[in-house]
Amino acid sequence: EKKYKKNYFNQSNTLGIGFNDHPHFYVGKFVSFKDFHKTNKIKDVRYFKNNYKFQIENKILNSSTRLIAIKNPVDTDYELIKDFKNLFPKVKNKINYTGRIMVVSEQFSDPKNKISLNFNNKDKFGIPKMKFEYEINTLDLNTIRKTSINISKWLAESENGRAKLSEWILNENLEPNISDYIWYGHHMGTTRMSENPNKGVVDQNLKIHGLNNGYIISSSVFPSGGASNPTFTIVQLSLRLADYFKNII
């Protein structure tokens, strides 16, 4: 156990700490009065983001919203159309199609979310198995809820349609429906970058603190995850590291 705990990677005690992903939640459904998807290259998905002012004023993380159109008559949500007409009998707008609303959120780098070695559970070779601790905290959920309500307001105010949000979005006392959650696999934050060895595993050049010839290039070095796919950032960091090697070799 000592040989695992006293290694270079773990000298700052931050290795494996602050795991985060990009939580994807289906947060509701919508009816569309206009075909606002036709302007998009991906015909069935329209992307939206909160502006920075909204994010700051509401004290939430970065996030994005996807309005996913269902234009196939076979898959159209006729129950949703019926509910809408019952709730808003005076609204005479023609419904073009229905769809689903998905919110993708940045996740707070919570030290409780971590990957560690379980010394009480070892494989047949005596090597400790992985212990994974993970949860979505209040700030994450608050981001998802406020983003969902914001897109609902946009649909109504722009007269593009109306949204029907899930009950757990509107009632903070309810837990999210597990069936609404999609595990996306954007693993980040467990070997984070910091000039201070006590706050990160690698420095600004991706070199492991305490080693002269060890580097990490991965989304695990991200100090924060944002709400966009990590691939391009990983590629850019790889090119940056290559330039750094070129200058020191």
Side-chain angles (χ1 to χ4, degrees):
E1 184 173 338
K2 289 182 180 180
K3 75 176 181 179
Y4 288 108
K5 289 186 175 180
K6 291 183 67 177
N7 61 55
Y8 288 109
F9 289 95
N10 210 26
Q11 67 170 8
S12 65
N13 294 316
T14 61
L15 178 65
I17 305 297
F19 176 95
N20 58 94
D21 188 34
H22 286 140
H24 286 51
F25 275 97
Y26 283 112
V27 297
K29 304 175 181 179
F30 70 92
V31 294
S32 173
F33 302 150
K34 304 173 185 176
D35 190 356
F36 56 86
H37 285 78
K38 66 182 179 182
T39 60
N40 207 43
K41 288 183 180 180
I42 305 175
K43 295 181 179 179
D44 295 333
V45 184
R46 187 76 186 271
Y47 297 86
F48 297 82
K49 284 187 71 69
N50 299 319
N51 61 40
Y52 186 64
K53 181 181 178 183
F54 181 88
Q55 186 178 329
I56 296 300
E57 288 177 348
N58 286 275
K59 298 178 180 179
I60 60 174
L61 300 167
N62 202 344
S63 62
S64 65
T65 306
R66 301 174 187 179
L67 296 185
I68 305 166
I70 302 173
K71 297 183 178 181
N72 185 341
V74 176
D75 298 317
T76 295
D77 193 335
Y78 294 104
E79 281 296 318
L80 178 65
I81 294 173
K82 181 180 177 182
D83 289 344
F84 171 77
K85 289 182 176 179
N86 288 335
L87 286 169
F88 304 101
K90 294 183 179 181
V91 178
K92 302 302 181 183
N93 302 59
K94 179 184 176 182
I95 295 174
N96 281 321
Y97 51 87
T98 61
R100 300 187 74 183
I101 307 171
M102 174 185 280
V103 170
V104 181
S105 175
E106 178 181 7
Q107 189 168 21
F108 174 63
S109 296
D110 192 333
K112 293 179 182 177
N113 291 344
K114 57 187 176 181
I115 301 172
S116 59
L117 296 178
N118 188 348
F119 295 99
N120 296 318
N121 186 10
K122 300 179 181 180
D123 65 18
K124 64 181 181 179
F125 300 105
I127 297 174
K129 292 184 178 181
M130 185 186 77
K131 183 179 180 181
F132 181 48
E133 300 170 72
Y134 177 80
E135 63 180 20
I136 296 172
N137 70 17
T138 302
L139 179 57
D140 304 332
L141 289 175
N142 196 33
T143 298
I144 293 162
R145 286 188 169 107
K146 290 191 174 181
T147 300
S148 304
I149 293 170
N150 195 31
I151 196 65
S152 176
K153 288 180 178 178
W154 176 83
L155 280 167
E157 291 170 1
S158 65
E159 282 299 321
N160 274 298
R162 294 290 189 277
K164 181 180 181 181
L165 299 177
S166 300
E167 288 187 26
W168 67 267
I169 291 293
L170 301 173
N171 186 346
E172 295 183 3
N173 294 319
L174 295 178
E175 291 290 324
N177 298 327
I178 192 64
S179 59
D180 290 339
Y181 176 64
I182 298 176
W183 175 263
Y184 222 65
H186 291 168
H187 304 166
M188 300 172 286
T190 50
T191 62
R192 69 185 57 247
M193 182 192 298
S194 175
E195 292 184 356
N196 187 338
N198 294 314
K199 295 182 179 180
V201 174
V202 300
D203 66 15
Q204 67 270 30
N205 295 312
L206 305 178
K207 186 174 74 68
I208 300 166
H209 289 296
L211 286 181
N212 292 325
N213 61 347
Y215 295 79
I216 298 175
I217 175 61
S218 162
S219 56
S220 65
V221 305
F222 293 3
S224 60
S228 299
N229 291 353
T231 305
F232 285 160
T233 305
I234 297 170
V235 171
Q236 192 63 38
L237 284 173
S238 301
L239 296 172
R240 179 175 174 270
L241 181 58
D243 288 339
Y244 175 75
F245 284 154
K246 186 172 66 175
N247 292 327
I248 65 172
I249 295 175

